[in-house]
Amino acid sequence: GKSGYDHFMLKEIHEQPRALRQCLRGRVDELAGQVDLADLGDLSPRGIHLVACGTSYHAAVYAAQLFQQAGIPAQAFLASEYATSPPPIGDALVIGVTQSGETADTLSALREARKRGARTLAVTNTVGSTAARECDHAMYIRAGPEIGVAATKTFSSQIAALNLLALAITSVGDAREVISGLRDLPGAVQEILDTSTARKIAEAYRDAESYFFIGRGLHYPVALEGALKMKEITYKHAEGFAAGELKHGPLALVTQDTPVFAIVTGDDEQATKTVGNVKEVEARDAPVVAVTDGASDVERYADHVLEVPDTHRRVAAVVANVQLQLVAYHTADMLGRSIDKPRNLAKSVTVE
Ligand code: M6R
């Protein structure tokens, strides 16, 4: 059942700290600064393709950046596009990111990769799923069953699992920091759940016809995910952009009627650039909601702030996303939408 929550989606949002702990359990040795995924064997890939759809694709876009930063050429593909102009595969490892393990587009991309000689790995929530059975390897995200059509806890757990995978197959210098960041992640998510003011933001902007989400680097897939969640459960137009792309076209759509959610954490060059993009939308009178840890001066240009704790950047992306899950949820709730079963959508899309 829904354990007292109005919707499975809200229940699953609240299950995230536990889901994340389950994902990490037994897989990290904090003292040694090492990750143990022994059951995966020796993968040592020279290149990585990630194939996925929807929310899982956003996790893949995030993960491709982790592998790239560790020096492994990596690219995320929409599974439905993968086979149409197949990229050179060499001896790449092809990772299918799929909660259900049954998504037809993802299965067919993985089959295509295997046909062309690639090794395949399923990162999935579902033991015994088709993806898990057909791939050479499987890594389970251990989020527990997800009933709501909107993927929430499984996105967070995919991100955690892909962080572990990146640590296990690359030797990055900052492994210890990342591991301690991951250890802090469940608590940081709990803090958001306990303190979020997302319902107030939802109240303020429930009548908007269109919402924009912007972020750079690891926050770019979070912008995409924030927009997807908003459109699928509120039925309103929402778009996520790489912050730097706004001025290349979408800025023409920005008016006082388009709330812009800007994800900005830390105070590095990336943050400074995104703050610059926020100034551009603020100058067009757009309401700005900054999702921020307060390290930069983005709040000066924002109408509202959704706070996230000061964490490792990899973790900040996940906690920022939890704030956006809550904004989408509360907006849909106020609009009386069918949150757990949005119109036209299925939990698992088994046709191409
Ligand atoms: O089961 P999968 O992760 O392969 O599903 C892929 C998408 O259909 C899925 O992530 C979809 O976008 C979400 N339900 C949206 O919330």
Side-chain angles (χ1 to χ4, degrees):
K2 288 181 248 174
S3 319
Y5 290 99
D6 288 344
H7 299 95
F8 281 108
M9 183 183 177
L10 190 60
K11 173 175 180 252
E12 287 156 2
I13 287 173
H14 280 262
E15 282 171 351
Q16 290 179 109
R18 197 168 131 228
L20 288 163
R21 279 190 198 98
Q22 273 166 204
C23 179
L24 300 172
R25 183 163 300 145
R27 288 169 161 172
V28 282
D29 180 341
E30 209 178 321
L31 282 178
Q34 276 173 355
V35 165
D36 180 14
L37 300 175
D39 42 333
L40 286 186
D42 182 19
L43 293 170
S44 19
R46 300 238 194 92
I48 292 178
H49 296 169
L50 297 120
V51 295
C53 306
T55 294
S56 295
Y57 171 73
H58 302 152
V61 171
Y62 169 103
Q65 296 184 43
L66 303 189
F67 294 121
Q68 294 273 28
Q69 283 162 16
I72 301 180
Q75 203 180 335
F77 296 87
L78 289 166
S80 58
E81 291 289 317
Y82 189 69
T84 56
S85 61
I89 214 159
D91 58 357
L93 172 70
V94 178
I95 304 176
V97 185
T98 167
Q99 185 282 128
S100 62
E102 303 297 346
T103 300
D105 287 321
T106 307
L107 292 176
S108 104
L110 288 166
R111 284 172 191 148
E112 173 70 22
R114 217 166 24 252
K115 215 166 66 194
R116 297 170 60 220
R119 284 174 302 153
T120 53
L121 162 66
V123 174
T124 181
N125 197 29
T126 317
V127 178
S129 59
T130 307
R133 283 184 283 110
E134 290 189 0
C135 287
D136 299 307
H137 308 275
M139 178 179 185
Y140 295 105
I141 65 168
R142 305 178 184 161
E146 190 175 66
I147 311 293
V149 164
T152 53
K153 64 174 177 171
T154 56
F155 175 78
S156 297
S157 297
Q158 282 169 344
I159 297 279
L162 288 161
N163 265 292
L164 295 179
L165 187 65
L167 288 167
I169 66 185
T170 64
S171 41
V172 277
D174 64 344
R176 226 174 273 269
E177 276 168 50
V178 176
I179 288 174
S180 105
L182 289 173
R183 187 213 43 210
D184 294 341
L185 174 55
V189 171
Q190 189 63 54
E191 196 177 321
I192 300 288
L193 297 174
D194 293 342
T195 61
S196 179
T197 54
R199 196 164 178 95
K200 276 196 201 126
I201 306 293
E203 178 90 67
Y205 299 119
R206 54 179 282 177
D207 294 326
E209 273 166 26
S210 183
Y211 303 89
F212 281 10
F213 295 79
I214 60 171
R216 357 169 91 57
L218 292 177
H219 295 334
Y220 167 51
V222 174
L224 298 178
E225 176 59 9
L228 177 61
K229 219 86 304 177
M230 192 64 126
K231 66 185 99 171
E232 77 172 320
I233 62 167
T234 69
Y235 310 156
K236 302 248 213 157
H237 176 249
E239 272 194 86
F241 299 105
E245 273 297 295
L246 266 192
K247 57 185 172 300
H248 298 289
L251 198 54
L253 293 171
V254 171
T255 67
Q256 60 186 10
D257 299 321
T258 30
V260 178
F261 290 81
I263 308 141
V264 190
T265 63
D267 192 19
D268 55 6
E269 205 188 319
Q270 286 188 42
T272 307
K273 284 188 180 169
T274 306
V275 174
N277 305 126
V278 168
K279 288 182 198 164
E280 290 160 11
V281 303
E282 193 238 14
R284 273 86 192 170
D285 293 327
V288 173
V289 181
V291 186
T292 183
D293 56 4
S296 67
D297 62 350
V298 69
E299 296 183 23
R300 279 176 48 194
Y301 311 100
D303 298 273
H304 298 274
V305 170
L306 283 169
E307 281 176 44
V308 297
D310 173 18
T311 53
H312 195 281
R313 186 172 176 80
R314 296 193 180 184
V315 168
V318 183
V319 289
N321 187 60
V322 174
Q323 287 285 26
L324 299 181
Q325 292 171 346
L326 289 166
V327 173
Y329 172 81
H330 288 299
T331 307
D333 189 39
M334 285 171 195
L335 295 170
R337 301 295 192 236
S338 165
I339 293 181
D340 286 334
K341 278 184 179 297
R343 69 184 180 205
N344 309 341
L345 300 178
K347 181 66 181 163
S348 182
V349 184
T350 54
V351 289
E352 280 185 53

